[in-house]
């Protein structure tokens, strides 16, 4: 701002000038150039490009000037306005990318004969790199990304790779960029289709199709490139065991992510007898599962009565038939025993009671839109766990063609996967569908789980958790706005933020480079942020896992979720890539031992209970990548309705949802500890940390900063601006005595519950 042409910017060895030596303030565009100490002197092995980009500096003999390729103009007020690019250098997510460098790296790959990289722009103005290449063989996209990651940072690696038979040319022999095919989601994998060749490969293809909801895939497709993640890997292992009678671990799926590789592992494993979960005989009461026991105890805590409600709100446009909806709900309750289950202490032991019939009715109320908040608050109320059903539905009628369905249930009888099942089946029943009978119910799982607890495998899992979490476990010391109350009150709020499509894609690429998943990369970043806030290098974060270890449990409604304590060590000397690899290994070990109930871990460790904190950890991380079933009902348009639910089960919970190529994030926080402004700043720190990691994944954790530029300036300049005028002809004690005369009864000193006024201190 207001820097004359050819003069250095203060405190920087950088000059602003133009090839024609000035940019006209009348608005004529020109090219920006820079010169400075430490600037690169040329392009490696590219003398032609060096001569074109590095020209003689007119103000300092012997110095070179770099032509940036930025088109800009001076404005009358002295500012420079950026107009765009004059060459094929592009800016994506704030990073300047020299496309020629990527093309050179591609041409260095064996078998690649021609390559061109193009930045495609979508309707929102966002850009993504697409690499087109001609080669004598087809590369897997993951292979190409891995080769490029050795030579350049993640933000320079193209999102798409398209192999061409030959490059399209214009009449004068140049590449016709307009004739290049547009990329789509399919071109992100780019693996040549290879059909199954053996009976095992054929069966694996069918299992993968079911788990990934795909119509076609080949034996060389990478599980994690075509929609797989940790949760689906667990489901895949369970289905392989059920259908092929073979136990495959989640770790083996990570290490052998194609059907071709996995089939070799399976061929070397002996058949193992798959055992179904048996249906138990009818009883007056049944044991509860470990997860149900946890939910029951948490429900009893003061202030926790609403903490584990699971409200689900939907706006319905069209001719909603209330009678059919109520009938579908009743059929759903008849179908799933969990929806007609209550809980009771019998002889000091918690039991679940299954009722043959329960009273249920869908309430209908006519409301005005301005009264909606009041109705929702009145609907979400505490459940009495001794009274079934722990499930209620209400319909709010705005007009004859616009309604809202309010649904609520207690977490003790349901979880996220169960909610998906319930919503899918509810509308199937509404449309008159006949659903297949369920062989087992949740009570059968609870009995089976108790029997399983005696097995050697479960005892080994307990030993793993005792080793991982035993001894002194860290208590996270986060800086808070308010002192921690003596007991938790569960009051909370949420701040939402978005990680855009390009950052999300770069995070996916980083996951590929580290051989991990998006979950593991995001957990690594979250752990690092907490470490930087707390100054601690031993962090435990809770993370829920679906907890359905058996293929028989796919369609059973109930509370299966288990909680894994993810303990990681973000020490400053590790690079982020090293740390992410450690997080991956620790996560895989946790998955392998996920059947051991969290409640048993707490009891085994004999953790000292602090009523102001949760046991073992105070922060959570959740990545929601469960398949969200589309709710399509003929004649109805059904949309989810977001409502601020003012509950926080933990000090901090970071939730991430993959949606339309972006990551929709939400930071839930305890309002007894944090102000909203603090959490908003925390979300900015998180995104800034993401950007630094994507730009410098090989950098040490201690050198990765989450401090924003404006905060850095505030710390270095504003907070150090302590100059103040004062009387230079008086001593300190004279100035104090004058103050004591002016305000003798004002408080001067406070320590704990004692205080002194200026008069008392002076005396």
């Amino acid at each position: 701002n207001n820097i004359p042409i050819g003069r250095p910017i203060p405190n920087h060895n950088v000059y602003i000038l133009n090839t024609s030596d000035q940019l006209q303030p009348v608005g004529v565009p020109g090219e920006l150039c820079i010169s400075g100490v430490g600037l690169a002197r040329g392009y490696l092995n590219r003398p032609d490009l060096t001569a074109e980009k590095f020209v003689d500096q007119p103000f300092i003999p012997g110095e070179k000037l770099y032509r940036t390729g930025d088109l800009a103009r001076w404005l009358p007020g002295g500012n420079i306005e950026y107009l765009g690019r004059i060459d094929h250098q592009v800016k994506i997510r704030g990073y300047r990318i020299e496309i020629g460098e990527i093309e050179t790296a591609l041409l260095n790959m064996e078998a690649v004969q021609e390559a061109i990289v193009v930045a495609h722009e979508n309707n929102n103005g966002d850009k993504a790199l697409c690499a087109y290449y001609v080669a004598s063989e087809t590369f897997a996209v993951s292979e190409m990304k891995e080769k490029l990651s050795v030579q350049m940072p993640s933000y320079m690696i193209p999102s798409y790779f398209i192999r061409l038979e030959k490059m399209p040319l214009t009449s004068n022999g140049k590449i016709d960029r307009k004739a290049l095919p547009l990329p789509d989601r399919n071109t992100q994998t780019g693996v040549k289709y290879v059909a199954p060749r053996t009976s095992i490969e054929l069966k694996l293809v069918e299992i993968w199709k079911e788990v990934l909801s795909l119509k076609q895939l080949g034996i060389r497709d990478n599980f994690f490139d075509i929609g797989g993640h940790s949760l689906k890997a667990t489901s895949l292992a369970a289905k392989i065991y059920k259908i092929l009678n073979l136990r495959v671990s989640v770790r083996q799926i990570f290490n052998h992510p194609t059907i071709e590789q996995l089939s070799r592992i399976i061929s070397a494993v002996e058949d193992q007898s798959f055992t179904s979960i048996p249906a138990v005989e009818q009883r007056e009461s049944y044991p509860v599962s470990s997860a149900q026991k946890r939910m029951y105890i948490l429900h009893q805590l003061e202030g926790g009565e609403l903490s584990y409600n699971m409200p689900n709100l939907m706006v319905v446009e069209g001719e909603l038939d209330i009678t059919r909806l109520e009938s579908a709900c009743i059929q759903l309750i008849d179908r799933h025993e969990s929806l007609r289950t209550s809980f009771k202490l019998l002889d000091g032991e918690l039991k679940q009671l299954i009722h043959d019939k329960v009273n249920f009715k869908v309430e209908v109320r006519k409301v005005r839109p301005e009264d909606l908040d009041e109705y929702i608050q009145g609907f979400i109320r505490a459940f009495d766990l001794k009274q079934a059903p722990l499930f209620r539905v209400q319909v709010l009628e705005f007009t004859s063609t616009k309604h809202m369905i309010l649904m609520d249930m207690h977490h003790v009888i349901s979880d996220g996967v169960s909610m998906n099942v319930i919503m899918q089946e509810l509308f199937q029943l509404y449309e008159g569908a006949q659903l297949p009978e369920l062989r087992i119910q949740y009570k059968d799982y609870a009995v089976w789980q108790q029997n399983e607890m005696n097995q050697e495998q479960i005892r080994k899992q307990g030993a793993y958790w005792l080793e991982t979490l035993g001894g002194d476990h860290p208590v996270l010391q986060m800086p808070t706005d308010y002192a921690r109350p003596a007991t938790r009150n569960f009051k909370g709020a949420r701040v939402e933020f978005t990680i855009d499509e390009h950052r999300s894609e770069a995070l996916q690429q980083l996951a590929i480079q580290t051989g991990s998943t998006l979950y593991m990369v995001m957990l690594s970043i979250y752990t690092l942020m907490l470490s930087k806030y707390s100054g601690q290098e031993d962090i435990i974060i809770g993370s829920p896992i679906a907890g359905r270890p058996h293929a028989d449990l796919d369609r059973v409604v109930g509370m299966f979720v288990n909680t894994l304590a993810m303990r990681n060590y973000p020490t400053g000397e590790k690079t982020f890539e090293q740390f992410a690899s450690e997080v991956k290994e620790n996560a895989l070990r946790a998955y392998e031992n996920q059947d051991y109930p969290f409640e048993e871990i707490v009891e085994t460790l004999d953790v000292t209970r602090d009523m102001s904190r949760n046991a073992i950890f105070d922060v959570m991380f959740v990545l929601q990548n469960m398949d969200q079933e589309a709710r399509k009902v003929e004649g109805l348009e059904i949309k989810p309705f977001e409502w601020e639910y003012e509950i926080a089960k933990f000090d901090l919970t970071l939730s991430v949802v993959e949606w339309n190529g972006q990551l929709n994030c939400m930071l839930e926080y305890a309002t007894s500890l944090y102000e909203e402004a603090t959490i908003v700043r925390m979300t900015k720190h998180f995104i800034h940390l993401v950007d630094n990691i994507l730009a410098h994944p090989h950098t040490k954790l201690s050198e990765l900063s989450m401090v924003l530029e404006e905060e850095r300036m505030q710390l270095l300049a504003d907070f150090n601006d302590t100059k103040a005028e004062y009387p230079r002809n008086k001593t300190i004690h004279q100035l104090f005595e004058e103050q004591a005369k002016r305000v003798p009864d004002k408080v001067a000193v406070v320590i704990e519950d004692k205080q002194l006024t200026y008069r008392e201190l002076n005396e």
Side-chain angles (χ1 to χ4, degrees):
N1 190 4
N2 296 319
I3 303 299
I5 295 295
R7 294 288 302 279
I9 299 174
N11 303 320
H12 295 79
N13 292 320
V14 175
Y15 295 78
I16 299 178
L17 54 152
N18 173 256
T19 49
S20 61
D21 292 343
Q22 70 174 9
L23 291 170
Q24 299 295 334
V26 292
V28 177
E31 183 184 4
L32 281 175
C33 306
I34 60 171
S35 172
V37 176
L39 192 67
R41 292 296 188 259
Y43 289 87
L44 184 63
N45 299 326
R46 292 292 302 276
D48 54 334
L49 193 58
T50 300
E52 177 187 347
K53 295 292 185 181
F54 290 85
V55 296
D56 291 333
Q57 157 69 278
F59 300 103
I60 304 177
E63 283 286 321
K64 289 290 184 180
L65 186 74
Y66 175 62
R67 300 175 60 187
T68 70
D70 289 320
L71 192 64
R73 62 180 176 181
W74 283 107
L75 297 178
N79 289 318
I80 296 176
E81 181 183 13
Y82 173 78
L83 299 176
R85 298 293 305 161
I86 63 171
D87 55 16
H88 292 316
Q89 213 176 52
V90 296
K91 280 188 177 178
I92 294 182
R93 301 191 316 277
Y95 300 114
R96 175 174 292 145
I97 296 172
E98 186 73 60
I99 282 179
E101 291 183 35
I102 307 173
E103 292 172 347
T104 300
L106 287 167
L107 290 169
N108 287 336
M109 289 186 191
E110 194 174 346
V112 175
Q113 295 140 5
E114 294 181 77
I116 184 171
V117 177
V118 175
H120 285 289
E121 189 170 305
N122 64 20
N123 295 332
N124 298 324
D126 296 328
K127 293 178 180 178
L129 295 175
C130 178
Y132 300 88
Y133 67 99
V134 176
S136 57
E137 62 180 88
T138 300
F139 294 93
V141 169
S142 57
E143 183 183 357
M144 299 198 78
K145 289 182 176 181
E146 186 177 351
K147 288 178 181 292
L148 290 178
S149 68
V150 178
Q151 306 176 57
M152 58 190 57
S154 59
Y155 63 84
M156 291 183 67
I157 297 175
S159 301
Y160 304 94
F161 291 83
I162 299 178
R163 184 191 178 196
L164 302 173
E165 291 297 322
K166 61 180 181 179
M167 290 288 180
L169 302 177
T170 62
S171 56
N172 58 7
K174 293 184 177 180
I175 292 177
D176 186 356
R177 292 171 179 264
K178 293 181 179 179
L180 294 169
L182 291 175
D184 55 33
R185 296 295 294 180
N186 294 329
T187 57
Q188 285 181 301
T189 55
V191 179
K192 184 179 179 181
Y193 173 76
V194 177
R197 300 157 300 191
T198 66
S199 59
I200 288 180
E201 288 180 348
L202 193 61
K203 289 176 182 177
L204 284 176
V205 165
E206 293 306 312
I207 295 171
W208 281 36
K209 283 181 182 178
E210 183 181 349
V211 171
L212 297 171
S213 300
L214 295 176
K215 293 183 178 179
Q216 180 177 319
L217 55 86
I219 63 170
R220 291 180 183 167
D221 285 315
N222 187 298
F223 182 77
F224 299 100
D225 285 349
I226 55 178
H229 46 69
S230 308
L231 176 61
K232 288 187 175 180
T234 302
S235 177
L236 179 65
K239 287 188 181 297
I240 289 173
Y241 178 45
K242 180 176 182 178
I243 296 171
L244 298 180
N245 283 334
L246 297 167
R247 287 192 184 273
V248 175
S249 69
V250 173
R251 179 185 294 276
Q252 286 175 315
I253 294 171
F254 269 85
N255 293 339
H256 308 281
T258 71
I259 289 174
E260 186 176 47
Q261 295 168 339
L262 198 59
S263 65
R264 297 193 192 108
I265 300 298
I266 288 176
S267 298
V269 177
E270 294 182 5
D271 286 4
Q272 300 153 334
S273 178
F274 174 80
T275 305
S276 296
I277 296 176
V280 301
E281 73 285 356
Q282 190 170 352
R283 309 176 189 173
E284 289 187 7
S285 65
Y286 302 87
V288 295
S289 68
S290 297
Q292 285 178 323
K293 181 180 176 182
R294 178 171 86 247
M295 287 297 105
Y296 184 87
I297 293 171
L298 291 170
H299 179 82
Q300 310 304 316
L301 295 178
E302 185 177 351
E305 298 87 354
L306 291 174
S307 299
Y308 291 90
N309 282 40
M310 297 180 65
N312 188 18
L313 315 179
M314 296 158 282
V315 175
V316 181
E317 295 190 359
E319 299 288 342
L320 178 65
D321 189 326
I322 306 296
T323 304
R324 283 170 60 192
L325 178 67
E326 184 174 85
S327 174
C329 288
I330 292 171
Q331 291 178 67
L332 201 63
I333 292 170
D334 289 340
R335 175 174 170 78
H336 295 286
E337 290 180 353
S338 292
L339 301 181
R340 41 191 168 88
T341 296
S342 64
F343 298 84
K344 191 175 182 179
L345 286 169
L346 297 174
D347 298 325
E349 188 175 353
L350 184 63
K351 297 286 188 178
Q352 56 177 318
L353 281 64
I354 314 297
H355 303 266
D356 292 334
K357 293 292 180 183
V358 293
N359 294 323
F360 181 85
K361 188 170 180 61
V362 174
E363 297 180 15
V364 182
R365 296 188 179 183
K366 291 188 177 183
V367 299
R368 297 177 303 173
E370 56 267 30
D371 298 329
L372 180 59
D373 234 32
E374 181 183 345
Y375 275 100
I376 294 175
Q377 287 178 349
F379 174 74
I380 301 174
R381 57 192 185 274
F383 285 100
D384 179 357
L385 301 190
K386 297 190 294 292
Q387 298 293 325
L390 302 175
F391 169 70
R392 61 175 74 103
V393 177
Q394 190 176 100
V395 173
L396 304 183
E397 183 180 329
F398 301 111
T399 67
S400 60
T401 58
K402 186 171 183 179
H403 299 78
M404 178 177 284
I405 298 176
L406 310 181
M407 181 182 294
D408 195 13
M409 64 186 69
H410 199 281
H411 212 336
V412 74
I413 63 163
S414 183
D415 58 16
V417 175
S418 298
M419 182 65 82
N420 261 358
V421 173
I422 287 169
M423 296 313 302
Q424 181 188 23
E425 293 186 354
L426 175 66
F427 291 110
Q428 287 177 336
L429 293 168
Y430 178 87
E431 292 186 300
Q434 295 293 318
L435 301 179
E437 187 177 346
L438 294 172
R439 188 184 66 81
I440 62 170
Q441 296 281 346
Y442 187 84
K443 68 175 188 305
D444 304 311
Y445 160 75
V447 173
W448 174 80
Q449 185 194 49
Q450 284 203 345
N451 293 336
E452 287 287 297
M453 286 295 289
N454 297 320
Q455 291 187 3
E456 180 64 24
Q457 180 186 356
I458 297 298
R459 284 198 290 272
K460 287 181 180 178
Q461 292 192 17
Y464 164 79
W465 288 111
L466 188 60
E467 180 185 351
T468 302
L469 301 174
D472 293 333
H473 69 272
V475 177
L476 188 62
Q477 302 294 343
M478 288 284 288
T480 58
D481 296 311
Y482 308 110
R484 184 177 294 276
T487 58
R488 293 156 55 206
N489 62 18
F490 296 96
K491 291 181 180 177
R494 301 169 178 177
V495 170
E496 296 180 0
F497 62 104
T498 300
I499 296 177
D500 62 39
E501 187 175 346
H502 295 311
R503 286 188 178 97
S504 301
E505 177 59 32
L507 288 168
Q508 295 278 14
Q509 290 181 12
L510 183 57
I512 292 171
Q513 291 168 29
T514 54
S516 60
T517 62
L518 180 64
Y519 167 87
M520 295 167 182
V521 169
M522 295 296 286
L523 176 61
S524 303
I525 299 171
Y526 186 40
T527 305
L528 178 57
M529 183 185 79
L530 295 174
S531 173
K532 288 187 176 293
Y533 268 108
S534 65
Q536 296 169 259
E537 294 183 333
D538 182 359
I539 306 286
I540 302 178
I541 297 175
S543 191
I545 193 161
R548 294 175 184 248
H550 199 287
D552 285 354
L553 302 172
D554 276 358
R555 305 298 296 179
V556 176
V557 167
M559 172 52 180
F560 292 93
V561 173
N562 196 14
T563 304
L564 302 180
M566 298 295 196
R567 187 173 191 174
N568 291 290
Y569 302 88
T571 52
E573 289 303 304
K574 299 170 184 173
T575 68
F576 181 80
E577 284 195 334
Q578 289 171 338
F579 179 56
S581 295
E582 284 185 15
V583 171
K584 170 195 170 182
E585 285 303 310
N586 290 339
L588 288 175
R589 282 195 288 268
Y591 297 155
E592 290 169 350
N593 295 279
Q594 63 174 287
D595 299 334
Y596 198 80
F598 179 71
E599 302 70 38
E600 301 292 332
I601 297 172
V602 175
E603 290 181 15
T604 303
L605 292 175
D606 194 22
V607 177
T608 302
R609 294 289 182 158
D610 181 348
M611 295 304 293
S612 70
R613 294 181 178 272
N614 287 277
I616 300 181
F617 50 79
D618 291 305
V619 292
M620 288 282 285
F621 173 67
V622 183
L623 179 66
Q624 296 280 9
N625 47 23
M626 294 181 302
D627 295 328
Q628 300 295 322
E629 294 288 349
R631 296 163 193 169
K632 296 180 180 178
V633 180
E634 189 175 352
L636 298 179
E637 184 179 354
I638 304 169
K639 298 178 182 177
F641 179 80
E642 296 296 330
W643 186 71
E644 188 70 22
Y645 190 39
E646 298 176 348
I647 294 291
K649 303 179 185 72
F650 296 86
D651 292 358
L652 287 171
T653 299
L654 175 62
S655 299
V656 181
V657 179
E658 295 182 73
W659 187 253
N660 287 339
Q662 295 184 334
L663 299 178
N664 295 336
C665 306
M666 179 181 70
L667 202 53
E668 181 183 275
Y669 62 97
T671 52
S672 60
L673 297 176
Y674 298 100
E675 293 180 353
E676 182 181 12
T678 299
I679 302 301
V680 170
R681 185 167 63 250
M682 198 177 289
T683 64
K684 293 179 180 177
H685 287 164
F686 187 84
I687 293 178
H688 192 63
L689 195 54
V690 167
D691 287 340
N692 270 334
I693 288 167
L694 291 176
H696 312 289
H698 307 296
T699 301
K700 291 180 180 179
L701 299 185
S702 59
E703 297 172 9
L704 289 168
S705 173
M706 66 181 187
V707 179
L708 307 174
E709 180 60 26
E710 58 265 30
E711 291 177 327
R712 192 179 72 84
M713 294 306 298
Q714 188 180 36
L715 289 168
L716 296 179
D718 298 353
F719 289 169
N720 283 324
D721 186 13
T722 57
K723 182 179 179 181
E725 291 300 322
Y726 62 93
R728 287 171 169 77
N729 59 344
K730 294 182 180 180
T731 64
I732 294 292
H733 70 272
Q734 284 177 308
L735 292 172
F736 173 74
E737 287 175 341
E738 290 177 5
Q739 177 73 358
K741 288 179 182 178
R742 278 195 297 271
V743 288
D745 298 320
K746 294 281 188 182
V747 175
V749 178
V750 176
I751 178 168
E752 296 180 353
D753 58 343
K754 300 175 183 179
Q755 60 186 35
L756 292 174
T757 65
Y758 276 94
R759 178 190 288 112
E760 291 169 332
L761 181 58
N762 190 39
E763 290 172 353

